[in-house]
Amino acid sequence: MIDLDKARREYAERRQELVRMRERWVEEMRQYSEFLRDRAEKDCGKEIGG
């Protein structure tokens, strides 16, 4: 027989883990976006100023 309380706890834990993974991914993408923007600004500055 399935223990519903245990199943609900496991589901909640996995859901929280997925939320944390998504938050971490969003932060990494934000940092990567900033990196690309900064690199593009440097590259464009070299072409214009160079």
Side-chain angles (χ1 to χ4, degrees):
M1 185 116 173
I2 297 174
D3 182 355
L4 288 179
D5 288 333
K6 181 180 178 184
R8 286 185 183 115
R9 274 194 311 273
E10 288 176 1
Y11 176 79
E13 289 170 5
R14 289 179 182 170
R15 184 176 168 96
Q16 280 303 109
E17 183 179 349
L18 288 173
V19 168
R20 285 190 300 269
M21 288 172 64
R22 189 181 110 238
E23 290 171 350
R24 194 165 46 242
W25 181 82
V26 167
E27 177 62 20
E28 288 175 2
M29 291 300 102
R30 184 188 64 76
Q31 290 174 357
Y32 185 61
S33 177
E34 290 177 0
F35 165 77
L36 291 177
R37 184 194 66 223
D38 292 346
R39 192 173 79 180
E41 288 174 354
K42 288 179 185 177
D43 290 348
C44 288
K46 288 179 183 175
E47 290 177 11
I48 294 170

